[in-house]
Amino acid sequence: MDSSNSNEIVHEFSPFFRIYKNGKVERITADRETVPPSNDPLTGVQTKDTVVSQENSLSVRLFIPKITDPTQKLPLLIYIHGGAFCIESPFSSLYHNYLTDLVHNANVIAVSVQYRRAPEHPLPAAYDDSWAAIQWVASHVNGEGSESWLNEHADFDRTFLAGDSAGANIAHNMAVRAGSTKGLNGVKIVGVVLVHPFFVNNEPDTFSPVIEFIFPSVRIYDDPRINPAGAGGAELASLGCARVLIFVAGKDRLRDRGVRYYEALKRSGWGGMVEIVETEGEDHVFHLMNPNCAKARVMMEKVVSFINHGR
């Protein structure tokens, strides 16, 4: 083999990934170190990993807070990580630590989804995997699923979806699918939290090339999964939850897309309650990069309040 040809870059989408002529994929923004499941000594939160589908290498990380009453049912949070559909995982220190903190503060059970990532697995793989994970969660409704934490402690009438960036995009789409299908009998999605959501506009921009590459089967500007405010008005009206909380950051290049989504949802005829919170002077997913700063703690408190509303 001609090594000079095999090392030739044929596609590059900085800062996400590049693809070489020999098919090798190199992630320019490297995944953070992964951490094993554990029992956190500071919070009492326990974690464990389980495989949902061997066929698709679909797995989840489960989080449970310290249980003081074995009969108590807790709200259930299904979390979908960000990373432009192509980097990060529930097992990275970034997301493990964030979910541990959130589970402790909100006193909820969480399921963090590891979907197949682009470019090796183009969209809609991430959507399909996330829906499969949600259906797997729903299989525990009657207390007969494979995971005892969900069987014994999850309150499926208080289920929440959440995600950041591309994960927020997926969370939105899962709520749409839940509202338009009957595939989640026994699971009531009460609310959705969208943190710095990744959507496209009606016209090409700096994000368009990578999205077009990892979602080759559609014209992204016309697809409601990627452009819900521009192409998904009818689907917004069928969003399968009662409340939505949206966060945007003042310095984030995606800020206006979150605002646009908020305005489109309000106009859509959807009957729920939507709130948008802007953090001035901060950039994309700052709360993950600097979780102990004052503004990140305010965000955490807001999410906790949203989940525990009326509890």
Side-chain angles (χ1 to χ4, degrees):
M1 179 182 292
D2 185 338
S3 61
S4 62
N5 285 340
S6 66
N7 290 328
E8 179 184 344
I9 297 172
V10 292
H11 299 287
E12 179 161 349
F13 299 99
S14 183
F16 305 117
F17 60 85
R18 60 175 63 99
I19 301 176
Y20 293 86
K21 191 171 184 177
N22 65 0
K24 175 188 173 183
V25 174
E26 178 186 5
R27 284 177 167 79
I28 301 169
T29 301
D31 290 334
R32 286 170 177 78
E33 63 173 343
T34 59
V35 295
S38 61
N39 296 341
D40 184 64
L42 294 178
T43 63
V45 172
Q46 299 180 61
T47 56
K48 64 178 174 178
D49 299 337
T50 190
V51 175
V52 174
S53 169
Q54 292 280 4
E55 179 181 358
N56 293 332
S57 300
L58 174 59
S59 60
V60 297
R61 175 159 290 183
L62 301 171
F63 297 74
I64 191 168
K66 185 176 182 180
I67 299 295
T68 56
D69 178 358
T71 67
Q72 184 182 13
K73 296 289 188 178
L74 301 175
L76 173 62
L77 173 69
I78 300 172
Y79 192 89
I80 306 171
H81 72 83
F85 303 101
C86 58
I87 58 176
E88 285 297 348
S89 82
F91 317 122
S92 76
S93 56
L94 192 75
Y95 286 100
H96 177 89
N97 294 340
Y98 174 73
L99 265 296
T100 296
D101 193 15
L102 178 55
V103 164
H104 170 64
N105 281 283
N107 201 35
V108 298
I109 295 176
V111 177
S112 187
V113 179
Q114 168 69 323
Y115 52 84
R116 287 172 295 168
R117 303 181 303 179
E120 296 92 337
H121 303 282
L123 292 172
Y127 298 130
D128 295 339
D129 286 355
S130 297
W131 183 247
I134 292 171
Q135 289 183 307
W136 173 82
V137 168
S139 72
H140 294 76
V141 166
N142 295 323
E144 300 175 353
S146 59
E147 283 298 332
S148 60
W149 289 356
L150 297 178
N151 289 334
E152 297 169 9
H153 298 294
D155 183 349
F156 295 96
D157 284 331
R158 291 185 291 166
T159 299
F160 294 82
L161 302 178
D164 64 277
S165 194
N169 174 299
I170 298 172
H172 154 76
N173 280 286
M174 296 305 97
V176 168
R177 193 175 296 193
S180 59
T181 71
K182 302 297 181 181
L184 294 179
N185 290 334
V187 174
K188 181 179 180 181
I189 299 176
V190 177
V192 176
V193 180
L194 306 179
V195 180
H196 308 163
F198 186 100
F199 299 122
V200 302
N201 290 320
N202 290 333
E203 300 295 335
D205 57 33
T206 56
F207 297 105
S208 299
V210 65
I211 299 302
E212 289 173 336
F213 185 82
I214 66 175
F215 206 172
S217 61
V218 303
R219 187 177 187 275
I220 60 174
Y221 315 105
D222 298 330
D223 193 283
R225 289 168 291 188
I226 295 292
N227 185 14
E235 290 194 350
L236 285 173
S238 63
L239 203 63
C241 62
R243 295 186 287 129
V244 173
L245 175 61
I246 305 163
F247 289 96
V248 296
K251 292 184 177 180
D252 186 359
R253 287 186 295 171
L254 298 177
R255 174 204 173 272
D256 292 346
R257 301 164 196 224
V259 173
R260 183 167 169 259
Y261 174 91
Y262 165 74
E263 293 171 346
L265 184 57
K266 285 201 303 181
R267 294 193 307 265
S268 69
W270 172 67
M273 297 179 60
V274 58
E275 179 181 2
I276 189 168
V277 176
E278 178 167 1
T279 308
E280 298 286 352
E282 297 292 347
D283 212 333
H284 194 62
V285 298
F286 77 92
H287 67 296
L288 297 177
M289 306 303 177
N290 190 10
N292 293 317
C293 73
K295 292 178 181 178
R297 300 321 299 173
V298 170
M299 277 185 67
M300 175 64 72
E301 292 170 4
K302 187 69 176 179
V303 174
V304 169
S305 176
F306 181 80
I307 291 173
N308 288 319
H309 174 78
R311 185 171 169 181

